[in-house]
Amino acid sequence: MDALKANDPTVLGRYVLQARLGAGGMGQVYLGRSPGGRLVALKVIRDGITEHPEALPRFRREVDTARAVRSAYTANLIDASLDEAPYWLATEYVEGPTLAAAVAARGPLPGRTCRGLFAALAEGLAAVHACGVTHRDLKPQNVILSRRGPQLIDFGIARGVEQTAVTETGASGPGTPGFTAPEVLLHNEVGPAADVFALGATVAYAATGRPPFGSGSAAGVAFRAVYEEIDLEGVEEDLARLVRDCVAKDPAARPGLERVIERCAVAGALVGDAHYAALTAGTGPVPVPAPPSAAACGHAPEVPVAATPPVPAFAPPVAPYDLPTADGWTPTQPARPAGEPRRRRAWTVAGAVALAAAVTGGVLLALPDGGEDGDDRKERAAGTAGPTRGASASPAKGNDGSPQPPRYIEATGPNREWWSADPADAWSGGRCNLPPEEQNQHFQYGAPSEASDIASGKARIGMRLGYDEAGPGDTYYVAAVVKPPHDIPAAEAEESGIGLSQNLGLGFTSEPVDLYASEGVDFTYPDDFGLYVDGKRHSGALPLEDDPGDWTVRFVHVQSPKKYAGIACDGFTVPE
């Protein structure tokens, strides 16, 4: 815990604040003392969040949840203030480190302790579910290892099964990547089975000391949680088997909590386990940090309370670790000796996972292929639908009735899709204004992401189908489209006096390629792009330097020169 800061309140309701315990997505958490000397944890919603229309309903839902759930495995609600700012709730203060902090400090738990933890948390979740509530954010940081047993905390995004999610800015996204079930990420389908998935992932972390689906960007971790296997290397087989069952991709295949407890086959209470007891041994009384100007705060600067070790950031694995995919590709880069440069081509997956609401118009996921010959690309994915097999195109037929592959595409009307840079967007660096017209989870692409990628005046753009096999006669033609930001190049617009206006044209296009017949293709802009009108090549492509600004890169599934649909959109910025 930390001392109060000068701008912290000293009293909330009838509680005198003693120290800072931490901060959450919605506000600050303080240690408080009641008039009778009872220690409580007070969660205070931040002023800036209260202006969001969904923030207060979410906070009230958290209070209702905490009030409804009364269990030996949860910190019970004591008090709340919901009528006027500052809004806060008070729960009993639970002494002990979080599971995340304990594992980061002491290393993985032995198998016997993990099984005891597994069973205890399953029993706690069962009590929560019996109240008609799903936790929805179970993870190592939300499990406190107390002397009376593990405690589930932070029901900030918990909800009843009949309630809809809150996913706007200022509210929560769907849980924590790496611990959130695939059905929540893909379809926002929340239920008890999603908590079972999170339970399995949490125990995997306890048993290995590593994030269960790897480290890196939240998007990349979420992708692996949906499509890849959990990391259980070094875990004893019986425990590993139970974890795998709990994190099955199909929620219907996961065991119920009663079955989880039965399979753990614990022989005694977890608090009697020697390793668990050692983790909680450091929670003896210590003085509370003295707040600034303690004498002026009207309370003594030191009150004996149980210490809570500081919670470090979620500990990444010592080195990246890789899980092979079905066809041998590796979704994360292997570990390299210190100092050795990493060069890779990062492929982006279109239509892979909808991490819902945190990103407007699509979701961003990483999938590097581990290659050495490519340049750094954007590691992200777009799309809002779950897995679907890539639809096959039906090319036009020739005079003899045989399929004829499309050789070009041309504009059919105004195109109002464009990409805009957004430096504040940590995941993607920008976004397109419209969602894709079609979904194909197997489609992957590479596009420039840094100024250095286009410094030569050329841009490499790649595409391929991953993890998919064509049936007899299947084809899947895709063309890349590169669209300058303006309909007239900057210099020409200035000379003519017309000025700049947004480009409503299709853009410059590549030749459509059957990705079922190719392991992937790279195009170079402007060399491999042109403008087609009435079936003829009208011109080559505009040089990048002729039109500084945000350029749009689209990928379209082509059935004929004038019949195509967008499956992914990206972009890059040409500096002035």
Side-chain angles (χ1 to χ4, degrees), residues 118 140 219 226 236 248-250 292 369 428 483 497 529:
F118 216 151
V226 172
E236 57 185 62
K249 307 305 183 188
D250 179 4
D369 71 357
S428 65
K483 178 178 174 178
F529 290 76

Side-chain angles (χ1 to χ4, degrees), residues 338-361:
E340 183 178 345
R342 285 183 62 171
R343 291 192 58 80
R344 68 183 186 280
R345 174 181 305 163
W347 291 87
T348 301
V349 182
V353 177
L355 287 181
V359 181
T360 302

